[in-house]
């Protein structure tokens, strides 16, 4: 079985997940949507992991793969004045993962995390497991607990 820092972190917390491998397409314009389509998952519960900077500090947001972040809402959710997308090279260095395989779990350094509130009402959510072509699913409550995250309105 595949082992990633994300899966090891969840196992250490006693959180069980179901793994969902899929054929990752590096040419896909939207990898989250491509993953949802490949697995036949509703994009509303296929969450993409986005690294952001809030007042210059790193943070993580999980939102449905078919939606876009609202930087105004991100700033509000974290109680800061400004929010911006983190450049990909910085996100890779900070998390230890490659773009297309960034998981919120098992990152090199814990950062404040928020999950789109609308996704928190689902029975299960699908999130990257720490490598391209591998998702995990779990109840949103388990994701919130594992990440010390809060549900928030993040999408435009």
């Amino acid at each position: 079985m595949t082992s990633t820092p994300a899966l090891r972190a969840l196992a250490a917390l006693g959180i069980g997940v179901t793994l969902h491998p899929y054929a990752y397409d590096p040419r896909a314009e939207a990898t989250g949507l491509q993953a949802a389509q490949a697995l036949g998952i509703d994009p509303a519960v296929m969450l993409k992991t986005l690294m952001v900077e809030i007042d210059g500090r790193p943070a993580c947001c999980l939102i449905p793969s078919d939606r876009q972040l609202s930087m105004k809402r991100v700033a509000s959710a974290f109680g800061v004045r400004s929010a911006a997308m983190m450049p990909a090279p910085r996100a890779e260095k900070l998390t230890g993962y490659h773009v297309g395989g960034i998981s919120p779990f098992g990152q090199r350094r814990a950062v404040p995390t928020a999950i789109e509130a609308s996704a928190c009402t689902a029975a299960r959510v699908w999130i990257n497991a720490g490598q391209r072509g591998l998702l995990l699913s779990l109840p949103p409550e388990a994701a919130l607990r594992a990440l010390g995250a809060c549900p928030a309105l993040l999408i435009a």
Side-chain angles (χ1 to χ4, degrees):
M1 179 165 104
T2 301
S3 181
T4 67
L7 296 174
R8 289 190 294 275
L10 289 165
L13 293 171
I15 296 175
V17 300
T18 304
L19 294 180
H20 306 273
Y22 69 97
Y24 174 79
D25 181 357
R27 298 168 313 218
E29 198 170 305
T31 56
L33 286 175
Q34 185 260 327
Q37 183 179 7
L39 292 170
I41 298 167
D42 179 355
V45 295
M46 170 58 229
L47 305 184
K48 56 185 173 182
T49 304
L50 301 172
M51 299 305 295
V52 297
E53 294 176 336
I54 52 171
D55 285 351
R57 297 181 323 271
C60 181
C61 296
L62 283 83
I63 65 169
S65 61
D66 61 346
R67 302 301 300 269
Q68 298 296 317
L69 266 183
S70 162
M71 288 305 158
K72 222 176 200 175
R73 286 188 170 183
V74 170
S76 177
F78 288 106
V80 299
R81 293 188 327 178
S82 68
M85 289 301 298
M86 183 180 289
R90 182 155 187 254
E92 290 183 335
K93 184 175 181 179
L94 179 81
T95 65
Y97 295 118
H98 295 291
V99 170
I102 294 178
S103 178
F105 309 107
Q107 293 185 2
R108 286 186 176 148
R109 181 172 134 204
V111 299
T113 303
I115 301 176
E116 169 55 38
S118 63
C120 293
T121 62
R124 289 185 86 73
V125 291
W126 281 253
I127 301 172
N128 195 289
Q131 78 180 39
R132 294 171 178 161
L134 185 63
L135 299 177
L136 58 84
S137 65
L138 74 171
E141 307 81 42
L144 288 164
R145 183 168 46 91
L147 296 166
C150 61
L153 298 175
L154 301 170
I155 54 179

